[in-house]
Amino acid sequence: MQKSRNPVLRFPRLIIVLCLAIFAVSAAGVFRYTLSYDTRVFFDPEGADLAKLRAFDAKYGQNNDVLMVLWADGRKITEPEVLAALGDLVSRAWRLPHSTRVDALTNFPHVSADDDSFTVADLVPDPANVTAEEARVIERTALGDSLIRNRLLSADARAAGILVNFNLPAEASVEVQEIVAASRALVAEFEARHPGIEVKLTGNVMLMATFSEAALNDIKVLIPISLIITSLVMFVFVRAVLPSIAILSLLGLSSAAAMGLAGWYGYEINTATVACPIIIMTVNMAAAVRIVTTAMGALGRGVGRHEAIAEAVSMNLWPVTLTNATTMIGFLAMNLADAPPLRQQGNVVVVGICLAYVFTFTWLPALLSLMPLRPAVQRSERVMVLLGHFVNRYYRQLFFLCSVIVVSCAMWLGNIRLDDDFARYFDWRFDYRQDSDFAEEHLTGLNIIEFDVGSGEDGGVFEPGYQERLAAFEAWLREQEGVVSVIAIPEVTRRVHDAMNAGRAAEALPGDRETVAQYFLLYELSLPYGVSLNDQINVSRSSSRVTVILRKMSSSQIRDLDERATAWLADNVPPAMQAQATGINVLFANLSGVNIRSMMLATLVSVLLIAVVVGIALRSAVFGALSILLNMLPSLVGFGLWGLLYQDIGLAASVVTAMTIGLVVDDTIYFLLMYQQARKGGLDPEGAINHVFEVVGVAMLVITVSLTVGFGTLAFSGFEVNRSLGAMTALVILSNLFIDWLMLPPVMRIMENARVRRSGTTVA
């Protein structure tokens, strides 16, 4: 390709201006971005599970809360001074913006009755004036109450919870920011007024804020780290400052423009899309480095600057086109994921790959043509030639060794557990994680599952049979491991019944519907301000809510409890009362499995499409079929090593295989292209393999190092899904280099030997 025939090299300044114009228009979309504060962003808006949760919220109200955990340096909460401070915090919590209800030890509705009266009043009516004797009575009463113990007061009475509920609109970014800011300001002021007492903040609203904080933290931390590491990797391979800057500018333009276009389209910044710039820079780095090193190598042979750049573009156009196509297939397959952020991540990366492809063959050569380039002396090829000779000499032994390793990794797959912990998606750099761990250690559980238990008729919740069966379900739940509290309406019935029959022998629950209905009417009329049963029973009184609070339960344990609870209901209650668990924790517990099932099809589609692309591009059905086998092995090896080293996989694992299929095939394509050309050029299999290592061995190393280091950057993320995604992808990509260097060449030799034997037999 001559300069006179290449418009990029003929008009480099014009090309640069046009590229900058495309970048400016595209990147302007970043100003349209908004931060997502929604914990439900990971669920399909049209999915059945989310629809079920929305219906539950519509029936019983939203579960948007902030849990304040009060800790007095190990002192008992029931000490008069601490109770006074608790009462002060409760009264101030009512003033938080958008608050609708505050539940705490002091204002807990305590039922009492005598021969003449029935009352439901605050357990601590005047927290500021409690005597030592009253404090002992309060502690004894609270710890004997299953709705207070391990929920609003710890079992050792040394931590207390204030649960503030909020009414939020569907899109609540502004409201969440207001609540979080006000809550933190309240805590700071309270701790200043009460030295020696501290307050931890957790709960669903704080979690919403932490999702956005994690996204911002990744922007501030990961992108600078990625740029530094990318610069170092490029300098190692390019060994020149100006060409490295040219590559960096290409990667920066591509990632920023892709993010801008996503902003124009209406995407939000969330914990998944925030990783897109890093992934875009990572997957496009190798092609740019390859073009620069090829051009500098041509300069080393005495070729002129423009001719060297044109030669580099010409040599790499087809391989880069092919590898970009297969990479895009892998990321497009993420559209079959159930989690919308993963779909968005795949789409943004695909846009970034397209933009980088255009800029690689326009912006980069135009910029290089205006730079003083130095010839490069390629020494790495010598090492690659030696590696090629080694592989050829011991190809049978290497094939056996690699096969043993692959089989071993396949066996280690059995160690993998589909498990994660939604409450610990964030690491210790976030206050939410520290405060949540403190809350679970000292007060209560943070995983909550809900059951909507119907009765089959209006007013049916007052039926004695319904109450008895629900009480049995409540008792069964309390016996399960990890359950710290269960909230259900039979407890209300039992309390009123006991109070109304104080001092007299009575059945555990009343035996007629009218009495139960009267109990609930009396109870609701006696409740203090801000408290009702509307969050426990629906309007028609045909169904009620059972809330189960779990401590330190992983996703697999939540799924197991859900299955056992569903089975218990199926065996012990009529069909109208049968239910399955719902709640945000249940949705997250099922998320990994749902996505893995949906991505199985995506992986299959990716593998087949890539095989077709490779087969058509190389005009060889054998090579297409070979790509299917060899490009599944890196995932098998990578996941096997993960099973050996870590065991647990979660949401990230659902997309790794489909995504990496398009990445790991890059090395295979380079190898097969050069091997095919060498064989057509008359080289025998051994000579062709040596030629491949000499010509593209370094390119394969560049691809692997850039991808491994780039995805490895995600290990610095504070968000577990991004950390796991980066680590698992890096492991699979490293496994791929092992397969392509030490197993693919022996496979080619064995196939060629078999073909020769068949030909010889035929001739004979």
Side-chain angles (χ1 to χ4, degrees):
M1 186 182 295
Q2 301 298 320
K3 176 183 175 182
S4 59
R5 297 181 180 179
N6 188 343
V8 173
L9 298 178
R10 288 180 62 193
F11 309 105
R13 290 177 176 81
L14 176 61
I15 295 298
I16 290 172
V17 170
L18 290 175
C19 289
L20 287 175
I22 294 172
F23 162 76
V25 173
S26 302
V30 298
F31 298 107
R32 296 174 59 88
Y33 267 119
T34 57
L35 269 174
S36 173
Y37 286 80
D38 190 0
T39 53
R40 303 181 183 189
V41 70
F42 278 91
F43 308 109
D44 185 355
E46 307 301 324
D49 289 342
L50 187 56
K52 180 180 177 181
L53 179 57
R54 286 172 174 163
F56 184 89
D57 287 345
K59 183 181 290 188
Y60 298 109
Q62 299 175 345
N63 189 25
N64 298 316
D65 56 58
V66 169
L67 174 61
M68 300 180 179
V69 181
L70 189 141
W71 175 258
D73 198 22
R75 296 164 59 192
K76 285 195 172 184
I77 300 298
T78 50
E79 292 181 14
E81 180 186 350
V82 182
L83 274 176
L86 176 62
D88 179 37
L89 183 59
V90 170
S91 64
R92 291 172 179 271
W94 276 106
R95 304 172 199 167
L96 290 173
H98 313 289
S99 63
T100 58
R101 178 168 174 168
V102 179
D103 291 326
L105 171 68
T106 54
N107 69 345
F108 181 80
H110 179 60
V111 178
S112 61
D114 54 31
D115 293 338
D116 300 318
S117 64
F118 172 89
T119 59
V120 180
D122 290 349
L123 180 60
V124 189
D126 187 7
N129 297 288
V130 175
T131 66
E133 179 59 31
E134 289 172 337
R136 284 191 289 271
V137 173
I138 290 169
E139 179 180 335
R140 186 165 57 251
T141 302
L143 294 181
D145 194 314
S146 61
L147 296 184
I148 298 178
R149 188 180 63 254
N150 291 326
R151 178 171 169 258
L152 301 177
L153 184 68
S154 62
D156 60 4
R158 300 185 188 280
I162 300 98
L163 195 64
V164 188
N165 202 61
F166 301 89
N167 185 30
L168 300 178
E171 175 51 52
S173 297
V174 174
E175 290 79 6
V176 169
Q177 293 178 65
E178 292 175 355
I179 292 168
V180 171
S183 298
R184 288 171 174 166
L186 170 61
V187 168
E189 181 184 353
F190 174 83
E191 290 179 342
R193 288 166 56 93
H194 301 277
I197 300 178
E198 56 183 318
V199 178
K200 310 292 185 180
L201 292 173
T202 183
N204 191 39
V205 174
M206 301 305 298
L207 176 63
M208 294 179 189
T210 307
F211 267 97
S212 65
E213 290 171 3
L216 287 175
N217 182 76
D218 280 359
I219 292 174
K220 295 175 183 177
V221 174
L222 295 189
I223 292 180
I225 291 176
S226 178
L227 288 173
I228 292 171
I229 293 178
T230 299
S231 302
L232 292 174
V233 170
M234 284 189 301
F235 191 77
V236 167
F237 286 108
V238 177
R239 299 176 186 176
V241 175
L242 290 179
S244 296
I245 293 174
I247 296 173
L248 270 178
S249 66
L250 159 69
L251 301 177
L253 261 62
S254 304
S255 57
M259 294 299 289
L261 288 174
W264 284 117
Y265 190 73
Y267 281 2
E268 293 180 318
I269 294 179
N270 55 52
T271 47
T273 55
V274 76
C276 290
I278 297 167
I279 298 175
I280 291 169
M281 288 190 288
T282 297
V283 299
N284 292 296
M285 187 197 319
V289 170
R290 180 62 181 160
I291 287 177
V292 170
T293 54
T294 303
M296 294 172 69
L299 288 173
R301 301 197 312 269
V303 179
R305 182 175 60 182
H306 286 85
E307 289 74 15
I309 297 171
E311 178 183 319
V313 170
S314 177
M315 283 183 60
N316 289 281
L317 179 61
W318 178 233
V320 170
T321 301
L322 196 53
T323 55
N324 276 20
T326 56
T327 301
M328 284 194 294
I329 289 173
F331 281 100
L332 283 172
M334 293 173 68
N335 279 282
L336 295 178
D338 194 68
L342 297 180
R343 300 179 210 158
Q344 294 172 1
Q345 186 182 78
N347 291 334
V348 174
V349 172
V350 167
V351 172
I353 292 171
C354 292
L355 288 168
Y357 179 80
V358 173
F359 290 151
T360 297
F361 295 108
T362 54
W363 170 271
L364 182 60
L367 211 56
L368 291 175
S369 70
L370 301 177
M371 290 180 174
L373 300 179
R374 294 181 180 179
V377 179
Q378 301 294 339
R379 300 184 180 90
S380 304
E381 280 80 355
R382 301 172 189 173
V383 178
M384 292 296 111
V385 170
L386 292 175
L387 179 60
H389 286 302
F390 172 79
V391 171
N392 271 313
R393 183 174 181 179
Y394 299 105
Y395 75 91
R396 290 186 179 88
Q397 295 90 329
L398 285 173
F399 179 77
F400 176 77
L401 175 63
C402 292
S403 299
V404 170
I405 293 174
V406 169
V407 171
S408 299
C409 290
M411 295 173 62
W412 292 330
L413 288 175
N415 296 340
I416 288 179
R417 298 187 299 263
L418 179 59
D419 203 9
D420 52 9
D421 189 345
F422 162 59
R424 288 170 177 79
Y425 269 0
F426 306 96
D427 67 12
W428 276 86
R429 76 190 72 176
F430 297 101
D431 291 338
Y432 170 81
R433 170 63 186 274
Q434 298 177 38
D435 291 356
S436 296
D437 283 357
F438 185 92
E440 283 209 312
E441 186 68 29
H442 295 281
L443 177 63
T444 187
L446 296 180
N447 288 317
I448 298 175
I449 64 175
E450 309 272 10
F451 293 89
D452 180 15
V453 183
S455 65
E457 60 175 318
D458 290 351
V461 298
F462 303 134
E463 284 289 346
Y466 177 88
Q467 293 269 331
E468 290 170 1
R469 295 186 184 98
L470 198 59
F473 182 48
E474 176 188 356
W476 180 85
L477 286 169
R478 291 187 189 279
E479 295 172 355
Q480 305 311 302
E481 183 180 358
V483 174
V484 296
S485 183
V486 181
I487 305 169
I489 61 170
E491 185 64 30
V492 174
T493 310
R494 191 180 300 116
R495 288 163 188 257
V496 178
H497 188 57
D498 290 345
M500 297 296 289
N501 292 276
R504 299 189 299 271
E507 297 177 350
L509 292 172
D512 63 282
R513 176 170 176 162
E514 289 72 19
T515 301
V516 176
Q518 290 175 5
Y519 281 176
F520 273 85
L521 177 61
L522 180 62
Y523 181 80
E524 287 193 273
L525 291 174
S526 303
L527 286 173
Y529 171 77
V531 183
S532 73
L533 289 177
N534 291 338
D535 64 334
Q536 293 292 305
I537 310 174
N538 70 338
V539 175
S540 64
R541 298 325 195 221
S542 61
S543 62
S544 69
R545 169 187 197 169
V546 177
T547 301
V548 187
I549 301 176
L550 312 172
R551 173 182 278 161
K552 296 182 179 179
M553 294 276 278
S554 66
S555 293
S556 63
Q557 292 171 314
I558 293 174
R559 290 194 300 269
D560 177 64
L561 178 60
D562 180 16
E563 292 173 1
R564 288 187 288 112
T566 302
W568 189 95
L569 288 171
D571 293 339
N572 294 278
V573 302
M577 291 185 66
Q578 294 176 15
Q580 288 184 314
T582 187
I584 194 71
N585 296 95
V586 175
L587 267 65
F588 268 105
N590 292 326
L591 183 60
S592 299
V594 169
N595 273 277
I596 285 176
R597 286 191 292 272
S598 64
M599 290 307 293
M600 285 181 179
L601 175 61
T603 301
L604 178 62
V605 171
S606 295
V607 169
L608 293 178
L609 285 177
I610 289 171
V612 170
V613 169
V614 173
I616 292 175
L618 301 181
R619 299 178 182 178
S620 170
V622 173
F623 283 174
L626 191 62
S627 71
I628 294 179
L629 172 64
L630 291 175
N631 289 307
M632 290 302 294
L633 292 183
S635 293
L636 187 150
V637 173
F639 276 92
L641 291 174
W642 190 274
L644 175 66
L645 300 173
Y646 300 104
Q647 285 83 52
D648 290 343
I649 62 173
L651 178 59
S654 64
V655 297
V656 166
T657 301
M659 182 181 72
T660 54
I661 285 291
L663 296 173
V664 299
V665 77
D666 291 0
D667 282 347
T668 308
I669 287 173
Y670 268 99
F671 189 99
L672 294 177
L673 271 173
M674 294 300 107
Y675 181 84
Q676 188 181 58
Q677 290 178 11
R679 292 288 283 137
K680 289 180 179 178
L683 292 178
D684 61 10
E686 181 177 351
I689 288 173
N690 288 335
H691 174 75
V692 169
F693 274 100
E694 179 181 0
V695 175
V696 297
V698 174
M700 295 167 70
L701 181 62
V702 170
I703 291 172
T704 300
V705 171
S706 60
L707 289 175
T708 302
V709 172
F711 278 99
T713 303
L714 293 176
F716 294 98
S717 173
F719 186 56
E720 170 62 26
V721 176
N722 287 344
R723 282 201 307 274
S724 297
L725 178 67
M728 296 178 74
T729 303
L731 195 56
V732 170
I733 290 167
L734 279 175
S735 303
N736 178 67
L737 187 64
F738 156 77
I739 296 293
D740 281 342
W741 270 5
L742 302 182
M743 194 169 189
L744 176 56
V747 168
M748 301 302 295
R749 289 292 304 272
I750 292 171
M751 289 175 59
E752 293 279 9
N753 291 344
R755 187 179 64 81
V756 169
R757 284 196 298 271
R758 286 197 304 272
S759 299
T761 302
T762 303
V763 172

